[in-house]
């Protein structure tokens, strides 16, 4: 009897709660992307990119001239304000669960994001796996106006670009919020900027976009940008350096070589016994030589060692320059030295955490690099060289 009573209670519960908040597809407007910009009066302009559903009789892929999306915008003091104003213009309920991209204009990012982040995590309809990027030098809403040849809408193109090329710049709302709330590190995001491309049979160039660089945040505000080369150094600390590439010039102007990383790891060693604090960064990578534009026969162990040392020295120099910049210019620990110190020496961390920016800026940091070349390809020297031009 008790068993049947339990089953009956579960059935009643399911009937009463199973579909109470269900939304029919014909009743919702699928928000694909959001652009947020700062207005002159301090308010926020939100631009939503909303999918246009294809008619049921239309063949897959649509027809020429069919609108794939439309944009709608409003200005408000906060999220609930501008979303309500946008909803008043809509015949369907705004639905944010499928949103893939949030773009933030540079002006708003510099003012700070702390006043708008709550709108994205308090409502369960908002996905924390949504990507967030800063638009450099342009309005975020303007970027959503641009068409992209391959994808349904710009927001979908950006999502695929983040997955394919974003690497360390791939930052979701969840990542950003965790880094913002963590001690001993600061958040970063990818950077979106305008680009141009030329269509076949058409004069002039059309506007497009590209992901290029990293936005550095401190206390919720954008403080500056890392360029593309500096972003590649940041990748070492993001556990996704894999598939990244290194190109180095050989000494004496004797060409260059290209290397693709298949796996990498880093380790930060701390020394908190004295002031200034000391850190040592140990970088290791495995990979393949995928291009040899020098005269070296890389099947020769001696020549391969030369290439290895040149690459290690180049990575070491670039890493030292990158770390010096974030220490002295930004005084912003986006790598995680503070988190490592907290794990290794909690007692020392408690004495420096309140002034961590100053301790980080004054810390002594050394770097070591070990690169293993696993594969040099099917050939040794370039095939177009004469025997007398090859260094063996």
């Amino acid at each position: 009897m008790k068993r049947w009573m339990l089953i009956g209670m579960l059935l009643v519960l399911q009937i009463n709660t199973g579909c109470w908040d269900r939304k029919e597809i014909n009743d919702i407007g699928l928000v694909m992307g959001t652009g947020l910009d700062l207005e002159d009066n301090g308010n926020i302009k939100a631009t939503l990119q909303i999918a246009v559903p294809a008619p049921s009789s239309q063949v897959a892929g649509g027809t020429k001239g069919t609108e794939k999306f439309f944009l709608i915008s409003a200005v408000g003091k906060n999220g609930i304000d501008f979303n309500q104003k946008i909803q008043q213009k809509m015949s369907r309920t705004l639905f944010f669960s499928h949103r893939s991209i949030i773009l933030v204009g540079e002006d708003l990012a510099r003012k700070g994001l702390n006043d708008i982040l709550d709108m994205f995590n308090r409502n369960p309809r908002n996905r924390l796996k949504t990507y967030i990027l800063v638009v450099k030098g342009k309005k975020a809403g303007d970027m959503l106006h641009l068409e992209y040849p391959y994808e349904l809408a710009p927001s979908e193109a950006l999502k695929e670009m983040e997955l394919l090329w974003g690497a360390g710049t791939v930052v979701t709302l969840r990542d950003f919020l965790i880094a913002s709330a963590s001690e001993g590190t600061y958040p970063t995001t990818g950077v979106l900027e305008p680009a141009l491309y030329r269509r076949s049979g058409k004069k002039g160039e059309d506007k497009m976009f590209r992901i290029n660089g990293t936005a550095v945040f401190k206390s919720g505000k954008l403080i500056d940008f890392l360029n593309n080369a500096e972003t590649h150094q940041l990748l070492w600390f993001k556990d996704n350096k894999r598939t990244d590439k290194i190109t180095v010039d050989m000494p004496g102007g004797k060409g260059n070589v290209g290397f693709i990383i298949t796996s990498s790891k880093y380790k930060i060693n701390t020394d908190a016994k004295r002031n200034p604090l000391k850190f040592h960064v140990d970088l290791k990578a495995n990979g393949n030589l995928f291009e040899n534009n020098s005269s070296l026969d890389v099947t020769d162990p001696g020549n391969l060692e030369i290439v290895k040392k040149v690459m290690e020295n180049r990575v070491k120099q670039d890493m030292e320059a990158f770390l010096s910049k974030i220490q002295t210019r930004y005084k912003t620990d986006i790598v995680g030295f503070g988190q490592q110190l907290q794990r290794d020496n909690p007692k020392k961390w408690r004495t420096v955490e309140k002034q961590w920016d100053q301790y980080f800026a004054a810390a002594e940091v050394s770097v070591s690099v070990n690169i293993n070349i696993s594969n040099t390809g099917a050939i040794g020297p370039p095939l177009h060289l004469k025997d007398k031009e090859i260094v063996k």
Side-chain angles (χ1 to χ4, degrees):
M1 180 63 70
K2 290 183 178 180
R3 178 172 177 268
W4 286 109
M5 289 178 62
L6 178 61
I7 293 175
M9 291 173 62
L10 290 175
L11 288 174
V12 172
L13 183 64
Q14 183 177 6
I15 291 171
N16 290 336
T17 63
C19 301
W20 65 272
D21 63 343
R22 185 180 65 182
K23 294 285 187 180
E24 296 293 340
I25 188 67
N26 292 333
D27 297 329
I28 61 177
L30 294 177
V31 179
M32 305 172 69
T34 297
L36 301 174
D37 292 295
L38 183 66
E39 295 287 278
D40 292 338
N41 60 2
N43 287 338
I44 299 172
K45 180 179 181 180
T47 303
L48 303 187
Q49 186 176 87
I50 301 175
V52 176
S56 58
S57 59
Q58 184 174 303
V59 296
T63 59
K64 187 175 181 180
T66 300
E67 293 292 334
K68 299 176 181 178
F69 65 89
F70 74 97
L71 300 176
I72 190 167
S73 61
V75 176
K77 296 180 179 180
N78 55 25
I80 194 171
D81 190 11
F82 56 66
N83 279 336
Q84 183 179 36
K85 291 177 179 178
I86 292 175
Q87 185 62 73
Q88 291 171 345
K89 304 176 184 179
M90 290 283 297
S91 61
R92 301 186 178 191
T93 302
L94 293 173
F95 192 77
F96 295 94
S97 295
H98 289 274
R99 177 169 51 191
S100 56
I101 289 290
I102 296 171
L103 303 181
V104 181
E106 182 177 344
D107 290 342
L108 178 58
R110 292 193 181 278
K111 178 178 181 292
L113 304 185
N114 288 344
D115 293 338
I116 64 170
L117 288 175
D118 190 71
M119 64 174 281
F120 295 115
N121 58 66
R122 191 168 297 276
N123 184 349
R125 293 292 187 187
N126 290 311
R127 296 169 54 202
L128 292 182
K129 290 185 178 181
T130 302
Y131 297 116
I132 180 170
L133 296 99
V134 172
V135 178
K136 184 178 181 180
K138 292 287 184 179
K139 295 290 186 180
D142 293 341
M143 303 303 285
L144 293 176
H145 280 272
L146 303 180
E147 293 187 3
Y148 194 83
Y150 284 122
E151 307 297 340
L152 173 69
S155 56
E156 288 298 304
L158 287 169
K159 181 184 74 173
E160 297 300 326
M161 291 168 69
E162 279 281 77
L163 291 171
L164 185 61
W165 301 112
T169 66
V170 173
V171 175
T172 64
L173 274 173
R174 177 180 178 274
D175 299 328
F176 191 90
L177 292 169
I178 290 175
S180 298
S182 299
E183 298 291 341
T185 189
Y186 289 103
T188 61
T189 72
V191 174
L192 189 68
E193 62 181 17
L196 298 173
Y197 77 104
R198 188 183 299 274
R199 291 188 183 184
S200 177
K202 185 177 179 180
K203 293 183 179 180
E205 293 179 314
D206 290 328
K207 293 181 179 180
M208 214 166 98
F209 42 72
R210 65 174 180 175
I211 296 175
N212 186 37
T214 301
V216 179
F217 283 81
K218 188 174 184 178
S219 301
K221 298 180 180 180
L222 170 68
I223 59 171
D224 215 329
F225 297 101
L226 300 178
N227 60 34
N228 201 43
E230 293 161 346
T231 297
H232 282 281
Q233 304 311 310
L234 179 62
L235 293 185
W236 285 98
F237 303 97
K238 297 296 183 180
D239 291 327
N240 52 4
K241 186 72 173 173
R242 183 167 54 88
T243 73
D244 197 25
K245 299 174 180 65
I246 300 173
T247 300
V248 295
D249 295 321
M250 300 306 294
K254 297 180 180 180
N256 57 70
V257 296
F259 179 78
I260 183 167
I261 295 175
T262 56
S263 64
S264 69
K265 61 181 181 179
Y266 76 94
K267 185 177 181 181
I268 299 175
N269 297 303
T270 63
D271 182 358
K273 295 180 180 179
R274 59 180 69 88
N275 286 322
L277 298 171
K278 291 186 178 182
F279 296 94
H280 179 75
V281 178
D282 182 28
L283 305 176
K284 294 182 180 179
N286 293 308
N288 305 319
L289 201 69
F290 72 95
E291 190 170 359
N292 178 19
N293 296 314
S294 73
S295 58
L296 293 175
D297 181 358
V298 291
T299 59
D300 180 271
N303 288 336
L304 195 61
E305 184 66 19
I306 292 174
V307 173
K308 167 183 162 69
K309 293 300 181 185
V310 170
M311 286 195 297
E312 289 174 345
N313 289 335
R314 172 61 184 275
V315 172
K316 185 175 186 294
Q317 292 172 7
D318 290 347
M319 181 57 69
E320 289 173 341
F322 162 72
L323 293 175
S324 176
K325 182 175 182 177
I326 65 173
Q327 278 187 274
T328 58
R329 179 174 171 179
Y330 298 158
K331 296 182 179 179
T332 304
D333 180 8
I334 58 176
V335 170
F337 287 96
Q339 288 184 328
Q340 189 62 48
L341 178 61
Q342 188 176 7
R343 287 190 289 265
D344 293 346
N345 195 328
K347 183 177 179 180
K348 181 66 175 181
W349 170 251
R350 287 192 293 269
T351 66
V352 302
E353 62 176 319
K354 292 183 179 180
Q355 295 86 32
W356 176 237
D357 291 345
Q358 287 70 34
Y359 280 97
F360 171 67
E364 295 179 6
V365 181
S366 57
V367 179
S368 63
V369 183
N370 186 356
I371 293 177
N372 178 48
I373 304 175
S374 304
N375 193 341
T376 59
I379 60 173
L383 294 176
H384 62 274
L385 296 181
K386 299 179 177 64
D387 287 341
K388 61 183 180 181
E389 297 175 319
I390 299 172
V391 179
K392 300 181 178 180

